[in-house]
Amino acid sequence: MTAEKERLQDTKWKNWGPYVSNRQWGNVREDYSPNGNAWNFTNHNNAESYTYRWGEEGIAGISDVKQLFCFAFSFWNKKDKMVKERFFGLSNPQGNHGEDIKEIFYYLDNTPTHSYMKMVYKYPINAFPYDELVAENGKRSKKEPEYEIFDTGIFDNDEYFDIFIEYCKADHNDILVRVTVCNRSQHAAPILVAPTAWFRNNWKWGYNTYKGELNTSHDGSINIGHDSISIKKLYSRNSNAQSVFCDNETNTPKLYGAPPSENTYFKDGINDFIIHQGNTVNPEKRGSKAAFLIDEIIDAGESKVFEFRLCPDEADKPFENFDSIFETRKAEAEEFYKGIQNDTVNEDERNVQRQAFAGLLWNKQFYHYNIGKWLKGDPNLEAPRNFNEYVRNTEWNHLHNKDIISMPDKWEYPWYATWDLAFHCVPFSIIDAEFAKGQLLLLTKEWYMHPNGQLPAYEWNMSDVNPPVHAWSCFRVFKIDEKNNGKPDLLFLEKVFQKLLLNFTWWVNRKDKNGKNIFGGGFLGLDNIGAFDRNMELKDGQHLEQADGTSWMAMYALNMMRIAMELAQYYQVYEDMAIKFFEHYLYIAEAMENLGESTKGLWNEEDGFFYDVLQLGNGESVSLRLRSIVGLIPMFAVEIVDHHLLEKMPNFKTRMEWILKNKPELTKLVSHWDEEGHGRKHLMSILRKNRLTKVLTRMLDENEFLSSYGIRAMSKVYEENPFVFSVHGSENMVYYTPAESDSRMFGGNSNWRGPIWFPINFLIVESLQRFHFYYGNSLKVEFPTGSGDKRNLDEVAQNISKRLCSIFLKDEHGQRAFNGGNPKFNYDEHFRDYITFFEYFHGDNGRGVGASHQTGWTATVAKLIKPRLTF
């Protein structure tokens, strides 16, 4: 067993980690405005002076699991108007495509216990173009590209610092920190390095008066005084490190015009001392926020190293064994990942996969949100809610989150999203299955899950509805964990199954509008996928029957059936639950075929595709013949059951035979589960062979869905011939838009009208593999459509997987598609091997789009690079 795997057995090694957000401003948690204007109540401009209620932010920040104490980095190039204490980006209203970070950094390495971590930040030598970025993006329309920091020319002539930040742990409460600043320019340049420590302010709200203190008695060390923090000292190896202190308190005179108060050194005191040389730091050298100030000149092409240590005891020689500990932890990280990647021989693939894991691990965050307190306010912090107007999350008064959670992106999406997290957990299970299982269980806890059974969506609207993929992820993680560890974690599977029963019931009771097993759910995480806002309240009894919502529920039923069958091998009582979900799946399949008299089903035989159906108030219906991934999602409702498993479940087998004999209207609507496939397997799928072939004909057509980089979210036919639909007297037009959205629908920061999205593609690959597991070589399709080349479904799945991986891997010209053809990123030695995992990708050229710094579900590429390892 490797040293890192041994550490994973001891939870204390995760007491400290990269749990500090990259952006706390502009979040719902920090919004105490009467009108719900979260983006403006806290923003980048007031963040340096405003004390947060629910969490903290910083550059490469770490904290304990309860975020009582934080440590992060600040920098100053002697030209910026403010210290670089947090990453800069545009708010949702400022960006022409929504919120958008305007920085360049890469997560390079991390281990599951955070025993070793590394990232690099590219900090401009010249004045950071804050105003230019805001102004230029403000001028641009939705149809124009974003104006990025690279476009400003700030990195021309390599006038930037590469700042490498590394952490390693000597012990679970002993943390070594190394910063290497490299001047990439052709002239010497100054930089101030300011490692910063502070306590999260939990004393001013009216519940707790205890406040820790930071102080010093001599240069080069800071004392950390807090009853609940085991780390007691911060040391600097640099002898010229000046220590400065202020308090993590809001600067009310600056922000609100309040009268100055004596002996108060506010949160922005260190920034103001550096920039303006003001009397804003405590001369007594004590406070709740402190920093070392290290002022250096870095010669052209040269580097300087700065080292620090956070440790539990006073040490006479805190840096005596510093280098050897660092080298040991780096070697152990190599050893750990060598075991993970032992069958991946391609060095570029290993690099991409390793950085995918690193990004997942760096994007863990302490997430704190008590909605009951947030709604009513604290004794010392009013919440002027106008409940006659819109107030978010009023139905979630029970929710109390205070945990380390995997974020989609700690700057652009620094809050958990339920279906994102389900995808995160699949690659997580390869490196840390216990964390993956813990995350999946966490969202089903009673202080997360609503009493009615709904899972929380995300803080902007906890009541929004994400696709129900939790059960799929749970079983996927369960099987990966079983394969890697040699034994099944039945306790995990049983725990999560019991809670998912509640969630499945919520779906049946709340999202099946007419009790006919046809499900809505609104936008279902697919933002602008439809011709109109799918969350919109329709008039005159109209409602939308959703092909994707219904298909997700068919998939959910099969996932629950399969989990119950697994548990039934050990506990017979679950056999009845397997029967229940099998029958529910059949009724959903029947409903998709026949919505009732004078109505159309979700399947369109003429087009060979599934569509949403708009039910009119007069009983008639309209098929919305817009070809998008909504019509591909029915493929995901597929399960293969080995015959030997049925033999172990006599009651299930008997019930299946009864249905076959007495309810032929159900059995004829689905693939022939009663006919054994290759190797005595049974197929359960909404798509019979004929329909599956028709759907694949569309999906594998390069003129429709098939891109060189995966499967597009919408057919390319709408590029020249847009889909047009009228509703409520307005005409809605949908174009194929392969990259950024041209619409503000759902904020405009995401787009499902043409780009390639990894979560859907991952499920497509997996579903094709399942179908092949049943059909083998008896089913081959043209790939690509019209080529005359016939492939079995496993070959198709592997080809799509390679297309997805090619977004990140170097092509024959040394380019990585996600870089969008930028020669600097593709060929410069200080960029070319760094990977950014975007939210989604251009449907035609693979360019990265949307949230840029490790959108967690894109880390599923780590699984696709070598899918057979843990399938």
Side-chain angles (χ1 to χ4, degrees):
M1 182 180 290
T2 67
E4 178 64 13
K5 284 189 175 180
E6 287 184 8
R7 284 191 287 268
L8 279 168
Q9 310 303 311
D10 184 353
T11 58
K12 293 193 297 293
W13 279 90
K14 294 182 182 177
N15 282 351
W16 296 86
Y19 308 142
V20 178
S21 177
N22 287 340
R23 176 175 63 82
Q24 187 68 10
W25 62 266
N27 287 326
V28 170
R29 282 160 288 159
E30 302 296 344
D31 177 22
Y32 283 84
S33 68
N35 58 356
N37 191 352
W39 283 110
N40 284 330
F41 186 78
T42 55
N43 55 59
H44 184 270
N45 290 340
N46 67 24
E48 69 181 17
S49 305
Y50 181 82
T51 299
Y52 295 122
R53 170 66 176 89
W54 299 100
E56 294 291 345
E57 65 192 3
I59 295 175
I62 64 170
S63 78
D64 60 283
V65 292
K66 296 302 180 184
Q67 202 164 100
L68 297 174
F69 176 79
C70 303
F71 176 88
F73 281 92
S74 300
F75 306 99
W76 189 44
N77 56 16
K78 303 295 183 79
K79 296 177 181 176
D80 283 348
K81 63 183 180 181
M82 66 184 77
V83 172
K84 179 63 69 171
E85 194 174 7
R86 59 190 50 79
F87 289 129
F88 173 72
L90 305 181
S91 68
N92 185 281
Q94 290 174 323
N96 62 323
H97 296 290
E99 59 264 43
D100 185 21
I101 193 170
K102 300 298 184 185
E103 304 272 10
I104 299 177
F105 60 92
Y106 301 90
Y107 295 125
L108 302 181
D109 210 358
N110 209 324
T111 59
T113 64
H114 314 299
S115 58
Y116 177 71
M117 307 192 294
K118 183 179 183 180
M119 66 168 288
V120 59
Y121 171 46
K122 294 181 178 288
Y123 181 41
I125 285 175
N126 295 311
F128 196 93
Y130 292 105
D131 296 337
E132 179 182 348
L133 287 163
V134 173
E136 181 59 32
N137 280 282
K139 295 175 185 176
R140 297 194 174 194
S141 71
K142 296 290 293 181
K143 296 184 180 298
E144 294 177 281
E146 296 165 350
Y147 186 64
E148 304 292 4
I149 186 172
F150 195 83
D151 300 326
T152 68
I154 196 74
F155 290 97
D156 291 354
N157 302 316
D158 291 332
E159 294 196 340
Y160 69 92
F161 298 107
D162 260 339
I163 303 177
F164 293 92
I165 302 168
E166 297 175 273
Y167 292 92
C168 80
K169 295 180 182 178
D171 202 348
H172 51 84
N173 288 319
D174 191 351
I175 304 170
L176 284 59
V177 191
R178 176 181 288 159
V179 176
T180 305
V181 180
C182 307
N183 181 352
R184 301 301 185 195
S185 77
Q186 298 179 17
H187 57 83
I191 189 169
L192 184 139
V193 178
T196 306
W198 72 101
F199 297 117
R200 177 170 62 86
N201 190 322
N202 64 355
W203 56 82
K204 69 176 287 185
W205 318 112
Y207 308 103
N208 169 38
T209 58
Y210 177 78
K211 179 168 62 172
E213 182 177 275
L214 304 170
N215 59 55
T216 188
S217 56
H218 57 84
D219 290 339
S221 72
I222 293 174
N223 302 313
I224 303 166
H226 196 290
D227 290 351
S228 300
I229 296 298
S230 53
I231 288 177
K232 301 299 182 183
K233 300 288 290 189
L234 169 60
Y235 290 103
S236 171
R237 195 169 194 169
N238 302 78
S239 59
N240 62 343
Q242 176 188 7
S243 57
V244 290
F245 296 78
C246 62
D247 291 302
N248 187 13
E249 301 279 2
T250 297
N251 190 335
T252 53
K254 179 187 289 186
L255 294 183
Y256 310 117
S261 54
E262 294 183 3
N263 302 320
T264 300
Y265 301 93
F266 300 109
K267 176 183 176 181
D268 52 15
I270 295 173
N271 175 86
D272 291 354
F273 174 78
I274 293 170
I275 302 295
H276 307 296
Q277 294 79 50
N279 184 25
T280 55
V281 295
N282 193 334
E284 297 180 5
K285 290 189 174 291
R286 58 184 176 85
S288 51
K289 179 179 178 181
F292 289 125
L293 306 185
I294 305 171
D295 210 340
E296 290 284 355
I297 302 290
I298 313 293
D299 289 335
E302 297 299 316
S303 301
K304 286 194 176 181
V305 178
F306 309 91
E307 294 176 335
F308 313 93
R309 188 166 188 168
L310 291 152
C311 50
D313 304 298
E314 187 166 349
D316 292 332
K317 299 179 180 180
F319 298 96
E320 185 175 32
N321 55 355
F322 191 95
D323 293 342
S324 63
I325 295 172
F326 243 103
E327 291 309 309
T328 298
R329 292 294 177 262
K330 289 170 71 173
E332 290 168 350
E334 292 296 325
E335 178 190 35
F336 174 75
Y337 281 110
K338 183 178 180 180
I340 298 294
Q341 300 180 317
N342 60 348
D343 290 330
T344 305
V345 296
N346 182 282
E347 188 59 35
D348 197 27
E349 289 182 346
R350 292 164 69 94
N351 176 50
V352 171
Q353 187 182 57
R354 180 106 169 231
Q355 290 188 52
F357 288 137
L360 275 178
L361 291 161
W362 271 99
N363 271 287
K364 290 182 183 180
Q365 181 184 308
F366 170 77
Y367 184 89
H368 189 197
Y369 189 22
N370 183 324
I371 290 184
K373 288 184 177 180
W374 178 81
L375 285 170
K376 69 181 181 181
D378 301 316
N380 294 341
L381 179 65
E382 294 184 1
R385 311 291 185 204
N386 184 349
F387 288 97
N388 294 321
E389 301 294 332
Y390 178 67
V391 177
R392 291 184 175 90
N393 301 325
T394 55
E395 298 176 353
W396 291 81
N397 196 64
H398 75 287
L399 186 138
H400 184 187
N401 302 163
K402 195 176 183 180
D403 296 283
I404 304 302
I405 307 179
S406 175
M407 299 291 119
D409 179 307
K410 285 202 304 190
W411 195 95
E412 301 212 22
Y413 303 120
W415 29 260
Y416 65 88
T418 302
W419 81 306
D420 294 60
L421 187 141
F423 286 99
H424 302 182
C425 288
V426 173
F428 252 126
S429 66
I430 299 172
I431 55 173
D432 189 355
E434 291 305 311
F435 180 79
K437 290 183 289 185
Q439 293 285 283
L440 292 167
L441 280 169
L442 187 64
L443 264 65
T444 68
K445 297 295 186 182
E446 50 272 22
W447 51 92
Y448 281 77
M449 177 184 277
H450 197 282
N452 65 20
Q454 184 179 10
L455 293 177
Y458 36 74
E459 67 176 38
W460 288 87
N461 186 354
M462 291 292 182
S463 293
D464 259 343
V465 183
N466 286 172
V469 293
H470 214 76
W472 163 80
S473 181
C474 288
F475 193 67
R476 198 74 175 81
V477 167
F478 169 81
K479 297 304 287 185
I480 292 173
D481 180 45
E482 181 183 27
K483 185 177 182 67
N484 287 344
N485 293 316
K487 59 181 180 179
D489 188 346
L490 297 172
L491 181 60
F492 158 73
L493 199 61
E494 192 171 13
K495 278 183 176 181
V496 79
F497 181 80
Q498 299 296 335
K499 290 298 185 70
L500 288 173
L501 287 174
L502 301 176
N503 182 245
F504 188 91
T505 302
W506 174 84
W507 270 91
V508 171
N509 290 339
R510 295 296 184 94
K511 296 301 173 182
D512 179 6
K513 188 172 182 66
N514 293 318
K516 295 182 178 179
N517 291 298
I518 292 292
F519 294 86
F523 85 111
L524 278 171
L526 304 186
D527 294 43
N528 58 352
I529 193 75
F532 55 88
D533 185 343
R534 298 200 298 170
N535 268 352
M536 181 170 61
E537 291 292 328
L538 301 176
K539 300 177 182 178
D540 305 323
Q542 298 177 1
H543 63 275
L544 193 64
E545 309 284 20
Q546 292 181 226
D548 56 335
T550 306
S551 302
W552 286 123
M553 280 303 289
M555 174 185 171
Y556 197 175
L558 284 178
N559 296 151
M560 293 293 280
M561 179 200 75
R562 185 63 185 85
I563 292 173
M565 293 177 80
E566 189 77 14
L567 291 170
Q569 307 311 298
Y570 305 91
Y571 315 110
Q572 188 177 4
V573 66
Y574 286 99
E575 194 170 351
D576 287 345
M577 297 305 299
I579 294 169
K580 172 234 178 338
F581 283 108
F582 170 66
E583 293 198 26
H584 209 129
Y585 156 74
L586 288 178
Y587 286 118
I588 294 172
E590 179 188 32
M592 290 185 72
E593 177 73 12
N594 180 13
L595 299 181
E597 295 181 6
S598 303
T599 62
K600 295 178 172 65
L602 301 180
W603 172 258
N604 185 291
E605 183 63 31
E606 179 183 354
D607 292 355
F609 212 71
F610 287 95
Y611 299 118
D612 287 346
V613 169
L614 181 63
Q615 295 283 24
L616 304 178
N618 61 7
E620 296 181 357
S621 62
V622 177
S623 180
L624 304 179
R625 296 170 66 174
L626 172 64
R627 287 196 294 281
S628 73
I629 54 170
V630 166
L632 303 180
I633 289 172
M635 283 198 305
F636 304 162
V638 54
E639 188 57 69
I640 313 298
V641 179
D642 284 336
H643 191 74
H644 80 273
L645 190 59
L646 288 181
E647 294 295 333
K648 295 179 181 179
M649 302 177 64
N651 294 334
F652 187 93
K653 184 180 179 184
T654 299
R655 182 61 178 169
M656 288 176 67
E657 292 171 348
W658 185 93
I659 292 172
L660 177 64
K661 180 179 179 180
N662 294 281
K663 293 193 174 185
E665 73 279 6
L666 296 181
T667 56
K668 72 180 182 180
L669 294 171
V670 297
S671 297
H672 301 297
W673 52 265
D674 58 309
E675 296 178 4
E676 295 176 12
H678 177 71
R680 293 173 64 81
K681 304 178 190 72
H682 300 274
L683 172 68
M684 300 178 189
S685 169
I686 289 172
L687 290 168
R688 300 190 297 276
K689 190 174 185 178
N690 178 54
R691 289 189 177 180
L692 175 62
T693 302
K694 288 185 175 182
V695 169
L696 291 179
T697 298
R698 295 282 191 191
M699 189 184 84
L700 303 178
D701 188 340
E702 292 174 316
N703 296 313
E704 293 218 36
F705 290 96
L706 182 63
S707 161
S708 298
Y709 302 98
I711 302 300
R712 302 178 176 105
M714 188 168 286
S715 174
K716 192 175 172 65
V717 299
Y718 304 117
E719 187 171 38
E720 299 295 333
N721 301 291
F723 176 83
V724 180
F725 182 74
S726 297
V727 62
H728 292 173
S730 64
E731 188 174 75
N732 297 267
M733 189 172 295
V734 178
Y735 284 91
Y736 167 77
T737 51
E740 294 90 350
S741 175
D742 61 0
S743 160
R744 271 285 177 185
M745 192 184 297
F746 284 96
N749 58 340
S750 298
N751 179 33
W752 289 82
R753 292 181 173 180
I756 292 155
W757 289 81
F758 256 76
I760 297 298
N761 273 264
F762 189 85
L763 290 175
I764 287 171
V765 169
E766 186 174 275
S767 297
L768 290 172
Q769 290 172 342
R770 289 181 182 275
F771 278 116
H772 175 74
F773 189 55
Y774 177 76
Y775 286 115
N777 287 324
S778 68
L779 177 57
K780 293 187 176 183
V781 296
E782 271 193 316
F783 183 77
T785 298
S787 66
D789 185 11
K790 294 278 190 175
R791 305 279 188 94
N792 67 41
L793 298 189
D794 186 63
E795 291 171 329
V796 173
Q798 292 308 308
N799 188 285
I800 292 173
S801 180
K802 288 180 180 178
R803 292 175 187 234
L804 292 163
C805 293
S806 73
I807 291 172
F808 304 102
L809 299 171
K810 290 180 181 177
D811 65 14
E812 65 273 19
H813 305 295
Q815 296 194 46
R816 302 183 191 274
F818 76 87
N819 283 326
N822 187 313
K824 184 78 169 177
F825 293 166
N826 279 322
Y827 300 118
D828 187 285
E829 63 177 318
H830 302 303
F831 284 87
R832 65 192 179 199
D833 291 325
Y834 296 157
I835 313 299
T836 311
F837 298 86
F838 285 81
E839 182 182 5
Y840 55 101
F841 301 87
H842 193 293
D844 297 333
N845 61 36
R847 172 173 65 86
V849 189
S852 54
H853 290 86
Q854 183 56 44
T855 299
W857 58 21
T858 301
T860 49
V861 70
K863 182 68 181 67
L864 293 177
I865 283 174
K866 196 65 175 177
R868 296 304 191 218
L869 283 174
T870 52
F871 193 91

